[in-house]
Amino acid sequence: MLGSANLNVMVKAARTAARKLVRDFREVENLQVSVKGAGDFVTRADTAAEATIREILTTERPNYGWLGEESEEERGKDPTRRWIVDPLDGTTNFLHGQPHWAVSIALEHKGEIVAGVIFDAAKDELFVAEKGAGAFMNDQRIRVSGRRRLIECAFATGLPFGGRSDLPLTLKDLGRVMPAVAGVRSTGSAALDLAHVAAGRFDGYWERRIHAWDVAAGLLMVREAGGFVEPLAGDDVFGSRTVVAANGNVFAALADLVRQG
Ligand code: IPD
């Protein structure tokens, strides 16, 4: 597929940062056996990846604003456009040597996500989407699944780490959703969960307490693959930091279940 100039810049930034992350990931696998673990090393890898992406994107588009997980937010000279970036989504997986993490880059224009790139470097899967142009994985068009019955569906969700205040609500969500469906998975990467909903590998996804950088690119991916996305509460995903996404056949049923919480 032919992407816009902006999409090409985003892909270049994601691939460049991922090359170094792949080398760092091999090192992390070696560090698993050390007593100190790989914590500081991963923090440095994450920060360095964001610096690489920021350098490429701001060199190519100096007027755009910036919102990234690891560095300071900046309003651009063009206040209508900003990059929303998670250089390493799935940090806990990366730290534990699990090959399930991704670089996620989104472009927002006038409050709407218009382009998204999610690169799963460990599996060499590049997901891209642009508003109105569809969603693709390694140049193949992707679409959400067609399942209609909840009991046949597999859903993804984020399980809060110890101490996060949304843990009780999430446990209640699981109590309602699990008996009604074929399976619930927590993969540790919200960006990839959404990319996999877009690719029909999951039938839907929900999470409380998400950040814009975790889901910005993925939300567009699901919409462009024919799926539905809404906040679980309020009227704005980023503001309420809650989201539910699914194929159109089961969206209402999943949203009803999780909104009972
Ligand atoms: C996390 C992952 C995880 C989700 C968390 C996120 P990070 O992002 O996306 O799947 O459940 O809410 O914070 O910390 O790995 O960039």
Side-chain angles (χ1 to χ4, degrees):
M1 62 138 331
L2 275 180
S4 69
N6 275 334
L7 191 75
N8 291 335
V9 170
M10 292 161 76
V11 169
K12 174 177 153 191
R15 283 196 183 279
T16 308
R19 264 197 294 279
K20 173 77 168 45
L21 282 171
V22 166
R23 289 199 295 274
D24 291 338
F25 185 66
R26 287 194 200 114
E27 185 62 28
V28 165
E29 288 176 304
N30 295 331
L31 290 172
Q32 291 312 319
V33 290
S34 78
V35 180
K36 199 161 167 273
D40 292 346
F41 179 82
V42 171
T43 306
R44 283 197 298 276
D46 201 351
T47 312
E50 180 150 327
T52 300
I53 295 167
R54 192 164 185 165
E55 161 93 33
I56 293 171
L57 295 181
T58 52
T59 302
E60 301 275 357
R61 300 289 184 271
N63 293 338
Y64 292 12
W66 177 268
L67 176 68
E69 182 170 16
E70 308 299 332
S71 63
E72 208 157 300
E73 187 174 355
E74 192 181 321
R75 196 177 154 84
K77 281 197 191 118
D78 174 352
T80 69
R81 290 183 172 83
R82 67 172 176 170
W83 302 113
I84 303 181
V85 173
D86 190 346
L88 175 53
D89 185 64
T91 319
T92 307
N93 289 342
F94 192 97
L95 177 63
H96 287 257
Q98 298 271 1
H100 193 75
W101 47 269
V103 177
S104 175
I105 302 177
L107 176 61
E108 187 186 56
H109 182 217
K110 295 184 176 166
E112 221 185 328
I113 306 300
V114 293
V117 168
I118 297 173
F119 185 37
D120 178 342
K123 304 181 201 75
D124 196 23
E125 290 187 337
L126 178 74
F127 298 88
V128 303
E130 285 195 275
K131 191 169 171 243
F136 297 80
M137 198 260 292
N138 292 349
D139 290 333
Q140 298 293 315
R141 183 96 193 221
I142 52 175
R143 291 183 202 286
V144 293
S145 71
R147 288 192 188 82
R148 295 181 170 274
R149 299 178 62 226
L150 270 190
I151 198 65
E152 291 168 359
C153 289
F155 295 108
T157 190
L159 295 183
F161 51 80
R164 233 171 73 172
S165 60
D166 54 326
L167 181 57
L169 271 181
T170 303
L171 292 176
K172 283 189 189 157
D173 290 343
L174 291 173
R176 290 188 307 277
V177 176
M178 289 178 74
V181 306
V184 175
R185 303 284 181 268
S186 182
T187 74
S189 166
L192 287 178
D193 287 345
L194 285 163
H196 289 198
V197 173
R201 295 171 179 174
F202 283 129
D203 303 290
Y205 158 84
W206 83 96
E207 187 164 353
R208 300 174 188 274
R209 285 273 311 255
I210 45 96
H211 292 99
W213 48 75
D214 296 322
V215 295
L219 297 181
L220 178 69
M221 214 106 5
V222 172
R223 284 199 189 101
E224 288 299 321
F228 289 10
V229 171
E230 272 181 20
L232 260 175
D235 54 11
D236 166 30
V237 170
F238 295 167
S240 67
R241 295 185 54 194
T242 63
V243 65
V244 54
N247 86 37
N249 300 328
V250 294
F251 179 86
L254 176 66
D256 276 356
L257 274 177
V258 285
R259 282 191 180 124
Q260 286 165 29

